[in-house]
Amino acid sequence: MILDTSKYTGKCECGRDHELRTKLVVCEYGALKNFDKYMSDCGLSGFRTVIYDTNTYNLPSMTHIPADQEIILEAQGLHSEKGLIENMMTQLTRTPDYIVVVGSGTLMDFARYSAYHLGIPFVAIPTLVSSDGFTANICSIIIDGQKKSIPMQAPDAVVCDLDIVSGAPKFLTVAGVQDIMAKYISIADWKIAHLVSGEYFCEKVCGMAQEALDTMVKCAHDMAEGKPADFEALAYTQMLSGLSMQILSHSRAASGAEHLIAHLVEMKPRGFENAHGMHGECVGLGTIICAEEYHKLAERETIEVKPFQPLDPEWVKYIFGDLADGIFKENENDVLATFDPENIKTHWQEIRDIIATIPSAQEIIDLYEKIGAKHELSDLGIDESMRHDVLPISAAIRNRLTLVRMMRLIAD
């Protein structure tokens, strides 16, 4: 499958002109055998630096493409941290004409950041279908101990060789299923935010996220029935979701309250010191907790709202410790203060209708169990006693309008 990205660009009914840097997305068995042809098609030539980590370089199914320079990073302890990325950049023997990165989420952030700061193109070769970051231009990196999602650079091309991704351990593929199924929450959060605050919303981009979700749900049910994984469809959902982020230059369509659980696990505030897990596993758990809370809230036929109050400074200091200053900075212009809380009450029935499109927490758990996905707090090293703290703490990490964040304006 070669994805025609041009159909998502141009003048849109939302009033914006949508653009994509990524012109070529290939998801085929044996795709790397034609790599040089694809580069020619994209007009990419010259000095090529190829970046691997020790795991991706040594994959049995890996086809090593020709390189003028290879950089092989130690996989152990590798994570998306500003200092590590800048240290990698010092290994470049010269400024390449373009970078090729072979890996998954972490290495994609290394390439996005480096290509952006060097002002050169990069090409992504995924080794997993465990995240939707391959076609995105959002870089999720740790700066001064705090996880930040910042606009960087999208790849000019993505060449996904299904011979490689289909050889990954099943648990990694399953984490990718959870990452896309999280859109049950992110799509709902975006629609609700648009209702109550007038936040920009695009039906076309939302439709891209919805198509990725619908396709992945079918893949998940097929897997639950014991059918072989459809890696072409799995890869397609990840690419489509990433393109939705690239169009918006932010992750609104693909990331809502459920995704902040992953940031919580990485930042490890008080009570979550032992938390761990892959990105997809974390957002998968976040999807369950949000679904449970949203449906519980929707049982209320009417609600009352209360005036906006900033986060309690003492609570922030107690929970986040050394990270508190970053949390204060993130929340100094709290999005909850930008609209009338009465809007939530006015649109409550519409909000309940949106929540009704989300499966129940138990339905999600049942499907996760059938495909072998993690779904308990203990699976991520989180004590059950912290269940009621997960959402309010994670919501403080990012100043994004989600229904979880709006709960601060809804009377008990």
Side-chain angles (χ1 to χ4, degrees):
M1 176 192 70
I2 297 180
L3 184 59
D4 177 15
T5 62
S6 65
K7 67 181 182 180
Y8 304 116
T9 61
K11 189 70 175 177
C12 181
E13 290 182 1
C14 73
R16 295 187 180 182
D17 270 320
H18 295 321
E19 297 180 354
L20 287 170
R21 181 178 181 118
T22 305
K23 307 303 182 190
L24 178 68
V25 178
V26 180
C27 300
E28 294 180 342
Y29 287 94
L32 288 186
K33 295 174 183 176
N34 299 312
F35 188 80
D36 285 338
K37 175 186 179 301
Y38 294 136
M39 295 304 95
S40 178
D41 292 344
C42 294
L44 295 176
S45 62
F47 193 96
R48 177 193 293 173
T49 297
V50 184
I51 302 170
Y52 303 85
D53 66 20
T54 49
N55 288 338
T56 63
Y57 188 83
N58 294 309
L59 284 173
S61 56
M62 179 56 61
T63 298
H64 293 276
I65 62 172
D68 297 293
Q69 182 187 4
E70 286 184 341
I71 295 177
I72 305 170
L73 303 170
E74 173 54 52
Q76 185 67 33
L78 194 66
H79 58 279
S80 300
E81 196 271 324
K82 181 174 179 283
L84 292 177
I85 299 173
E86 292 177 345
N87 181 64
M88 184 276 293
M89 292 172 66
T90 67
Q91 299 181 43
L92 295 168
T93 55
R94 54 159 282 186
T95 300
D97 290 297
Y98 65 105
I99 289 172
V100 179
V101 63
V102 185
S104 56
T106 297
L107 282 176
M108 292 300 142
D109 285 334
F110 273 65
R112 262 189 292 272
Y113 185 98
S114 301
Y116 177 82
H117 285 280
L118 293 171
I120 60 174
F122 89 91
V123 176
I125 299 177
T127 54
L128 303 171
V129 285
S130 60
S131 76
D132 57 1
F134 303 113
T135 50
N137 59 349
I138 307 298
C139 194
S140 295
I141 63 173
I142 297 172
I143 302 175
D144 298 328
Q146 188 168 354
K147 191 77 170 183
K148 294 286 188 180
S149 294
I150 53 179
M152 281 292 170
Q153 184 167 311
D156 281 47
V158 180
V159 181
C160 180
D161 192 323
L162 301 180
D163 284 321
I164 296 173
V165 300
S166 63
K170 183 182 177 182
F171 77 92
L172 296 173
T173 301
V174 167
V177 173
Q178 292 179 283
D179 186 37
I180 297 298
M181 285 187 60
K183 279 146 198 58
Y184 276 123
I185 304 300
S186 65
I187 291 172
D189 275 340
W190 193 18
K191 289 179 177 179
I192 293 169
H194 173 65
L195 275 176
V196 304
S197 73
E199 179 183 327
Y200 165 75
F201 180 82
C202 176
E203 287 284 358
K204 184 174 184 177
V205 176
C206 185
M208 293 169 66
Q210 186 67 52
E211 182 184 351
L213 172 60
D214 293 343
T215 302
M216 186 60 87
V217 169
K218 182 182 184 306
C219 287
H221 281 285
D222 286 346
M223 291 169 65
E225 293 172 8
K227 297 177 182 177
D230 183 346
F231 283 98
E232 184 177 50
L234 290 168
Y236 172 71
T237 66
Q238 303 288 1
M239 304 304 165
L240 191 58
S241 179
L243 290 173
S244 76
M245 290 190 272
Q246 189 182 147
I247 286 175
L248 297 174
S249 290
H250 56 70
S251 59
R252 188 40 140 158
S255 172
E258 81 299 328
H259 260 68
L260 295 174
I261 311 304
H263 296 341
L264 181 152
V265 169
E266 291 172 319
M267 292 171 65
K268 301 185 188 307
R270 181 182 294 273
F272 298 89
E273 293 87 351
N274 297 318
H276 57 82
M278 294 180 60
H279 176 81
E281 295 169 341
C282 297
V283 303
L285 179 65
T287 303
I288 291 171
I289 296 175
C290 286
E292 182 177 36
E293 196 63 34
Y294 286 14
H295 281 291
K296 186 184 300 182
L297 199 59
E299 291 174 1
R300 297 161 64 171
E301 294 186 2
T302 59
I303 58 162
E304 296 299 325
V305 293
K306 53 190 178 182
F308 164 74
Q309 291 290 332
L311 290 171
D312 179 0
E314 293 306 313
W315 177 82
V316 172
K317 292 175 185 176
Y318 175 76
I319 294 296
F320 291 98
D322 293 342
L323 300 175
D325 286 346
I327 299 299
F328 287 130
K329 184 174 178 61
E330 176 69 18
N331 289 278
E332 61 187 1
N333 296 307
D334 198 317
V335 67
L336 291 182
T338 64
F339 65 94
D340 187 343
E342 285 291 328
N343 292 354
I344 303 175
K345 184 176 179 180
T346 300
H347 293 285
W348 185 242
Q349 185 53 54
E350 294 161 275
I351 293 171
R352 294 176 74 206
D353 291 341
I354 292 170
I355 294 171
T357 66
I358 303 170
S360 70
Q362 191 58 55
E363 287 176 297
I364 299 170
I365 290 171
D366 289 345
L367 180 56
Y368 282 178
E369 286 180 335
K370 290 176 182 176
I371 64 174
K374 293 183 178 181
H375 57 277
E376 299 282 356
L377 285 171
S378 58
D379 292 335
L380 302 182
I382 302 172
D383 192 272
E384 183 62 33
S385 64
M386 300 301 296
R387 175 171 287 272
H388 297 297
D389 297 304
V390 168
L391 292 183
I393 292 175
S394 63
I397 292 173
R398 185 169 190 186
N399 187 18
R400 168 168 282 176
L401 188 55
T402 66
L403 185 54
V404 170
R405 197 174 186 91
M406 290 180 214
M407 289 177 185
R408 287 166 47 197
L409 301 178
I410 299 175
D412 295 332

